[in-house]
Amino acid sequence: MDFLMKMIEQLKRGKLHFSLIDPDKQEPAKAGEIARICEEYGSDAIMVGGSTIKDRKLVYETIDEIKKNCNLPTILFPNSADSISENADYIFFMDLLNSLDYKYRKGEQIKGAKLVKKWGIKPIPMGYLIISMSKEPTTVESKVKLDVIRENDIEKALEYALYAECIGMDCIYLEAGSNADKPVPDIMIKTIREKVKIPIIVGGGIRNAEEAKNKIMAGANAIVNGSLIEKNIERLKEIILAIKSAPTS
Ligand code: 1GP
């Protein structure tokens, strides 16, 4: 079965782990080494992206090293059309749902679609929702003008998630932002899970096994770790183990 179908099927059943590597944070060779460890620890895919990337060549070189060192599928997680690289397997083709800026709802996507088609990268349509969980804005929050959704705005988050499902997105990403003070709350995930059928990916500020497990038990289908991989990769093993052994709701 094609990985895309398999992933969507797996996402529906729950318990995936994605490792996010930001090409701006290390040399490509180091990214390759990190990806090798992520695979060894049981991660399911390598996401490649970040909020500050401007250099397509660096994304290409990073993916090249990842592919030399590990067999996991690579999924682009782009901040703009300029970070789409032809050697990626998949792309989270995102609509930043609560952005008030045309650029992040349609502008970059329209520029990017022709590259995705030209290079044969498989798109995974995704509703991307930023939840503000930090005292100071995270990098992504500082770059995008948002219809702000805070910790207690559960109904508002649900409305956006329902919209994503109605418009035919394959999945929703609930994002607290890289290195957020706190991850997206379990009650928000649970509320969305009860009403929305498409898979839910959760990332931003997840730092330990307990948090990851609770997100899965609340109804998340996949957990994303980025900062932890850069700073504390040995923790990843217990996080992935907790995800894989968590009872699902
Ligand atoms: C950021 O959700 C990802 O886009 C990962 O966040 O770096 O906090 O793990 P962290």
Side-chain angles (χ1 to χ4, degrees):
M1 194 192 285
D2 170 70
F3 171 76
L4 178 57
M5 295 307 296
K6 207 164 125 193
M7 193 186 76
I8 297 291
E9 280 311 307
Q10 276 182 322
L11 268 172
K12 284 180 187 155
R13 288 200 297 274
K15 302 187 176 191
L16 288 185
H17 180 271
F18 298 148
S19 300
L20 172 62
I21 295 180
D22 183 344
D24 270 351
K25 297 282 173 64
Q26 66 286 296
E27 293 298 315
K30 176 76 180 163
E33 170 62 13
I34 290 172
R36 188 190 62 71
I37 298 170
C38 294
E39 182 175 31
E40 185 188 315
Y41 287 174
S43 194
D44 294 287
I46 307 290
M47 288 166 55
V48 180
S51 305
T52 54
I53 302 169
K54 290 194 180 78
D55 182 359
R56 193 191 312 284
K57 187 165 163 278
L58 181 61
V59 181
Y60 184 95
E61 289 167 0
T62 300
I63 293 176
D64 195 42
E65 285 295 328
I66 291 170
K67 283 177 174 281
K68 281 182 195 155
N69 284 278
C70 95
N71 295 311
L72 294 177
T74 51
I75 309 174
L76 287 171
F77 181 55
N79 59 331
S80 77
D82 294 336
S83 58
I84 297 175
S85 172
E86 64 182 289
N87 55 350
D89 302 309
Y90 299 93
I91 179 168
F92 280 139
F93 206 84
M94 302 186 282
D95 178 340
L96 204 174
L97 299 172
N98 59 325
S99 166
L100 299 175
D101 190 341
Y102 178 82
K103 176 181 164 75
Y104 296 106
R105 296 293 319 275
K106 291 209 164 58
E108 291 300 319
Q109 292 83 341
I110 289 167
K111 277 199 260 171
K114 61 177 183 270
L115 301 177
V116 168
K117 291 297 281 185
K118 181 166 106 182
W119 290 330
I121 306 167
K122 296 188 181 83
I124 303 170
M126 168 191 275
Y128 185 58
L129 203 53
I130 295 176
I131 314 296
S132 298
M133 297 297 298
S134 303
K135 280 204 188 91
E136 297 299 321
T138 57
T139 310
V140 67
E141 286 173 272
S142 66
K143 290 192 177 301
V144 182
K145 196 162 183 285
L146 291 171
D147 174 20
V148 176
I149 304 175
R150 298 196 192 282
E151 185 168 2
N152 295 324
D153 295 331
I154 310 275
E155 277 302 306
K156 193 170 173 182
L158 174 62
E159 283 170 9
Y160 274 108
L162 286 166
Y163 164 82
E165 180 172 79
C166 287
I167 206 161
M169 300 286 185
D170 275 347
C171 52
I172 302 163
Y173 191 134
L174 301 178
E175 169 73 276
S178 191
N179 217 9
D181 294 350
K182 292 186 286 186
V184 171
D186 298 344
I187 182 67
M188 185 179 280
I189 299 167
K190 189 167 184 293
T191 305
I192 294 174
R193 174 76 298 145
E194 281 165 5
K195 299 268 167 54
V196 174
K197 289 200 172 60
I198 56 176
I200 302 170
I201 300 168
V202 179
I206 299 172
R207 295 182 175 86
N208 60 55
E210 186 69 13
E211 282 173 344
K213 183 176 149 198
N214 288 341
K215 307 287 160 224
I216 294 287
M217 286 168 64
N221 300 90
I223 299 295
V224 180
N225 283 117
S227 320
L228 183 109
I229 287 165
E230 292 157 18
K231 295 175 197 153
N232 215 345
I233 196 161
E234 59 286 354
R235 276 243 202 102
L236 194 62
K237 200 173 191 173
E238 64 201 47
I239 289 182
I240 295 174
L241 205 65
I243 290 169
K244 301 292 175 182
S245 59
T248 46
S249 52

